[in-house]
Amino acid sequence: MTTQIGTHQVESPEVGKEYVRGLDSNSWLLFTEDPAEDRPVVVRIDSIKNEVCHCTVTRKLS
C-alpha cells in the first residue's frame, strides 16, 4: 500500500527510512524497534518530490 505525507509533517525526512505517526499529533517520527512501540502503521519514504514524501506502508503493528 502506498501513501503520501507532507514534508512538513515528517521529522527530518530521509529516503529509505521508516516512520511512525506521533501519538496525538499530525507528525511522523523515525521508527525504532522499541518493544513498547504501539503505533499502528509504519511507512518507508521511497522518494521526496517538492513538499511531498511518497511512502510505502511496510508494516501494521497490533
Side-chain angles (χ1 to χ4, degrees):
M1 179 176 174
T2 60
T3 189
Q4 296 177 349
I5 301 169
T7 55
H8 66 281
Q9 294 176 280
V10 183
E11 182 180 296
S12 304
E14 194 174 323
V15 173
K17 298 285 184 172
E18 292 184 317
Y19 295 84
V20 293
R21 185 92 179 238
L23 293 176
D24 299 326
S25 76
N26 196 27
S27 64
W28 290 78
L29 310 169
L30 190 61
F31 175 71
T32 63
E33 294 291 341
D34 186 343
E37 195 71 71
D38 62 352
R39 295 168 182 120
V41 176
V42 179
V43 298
R44 181 189 65 241
I45 296 179
D46 297 320
S47 65
I48 301 172
K49 285 190 178 177
N50 300 323
E51 295 183 11
V52 177
C53 299
H54 299 272
C55 307
T56 301
V57 176
T58 59
R59 66 189 98 174
K60 292 184 179 180
L61 307 175
S62 56

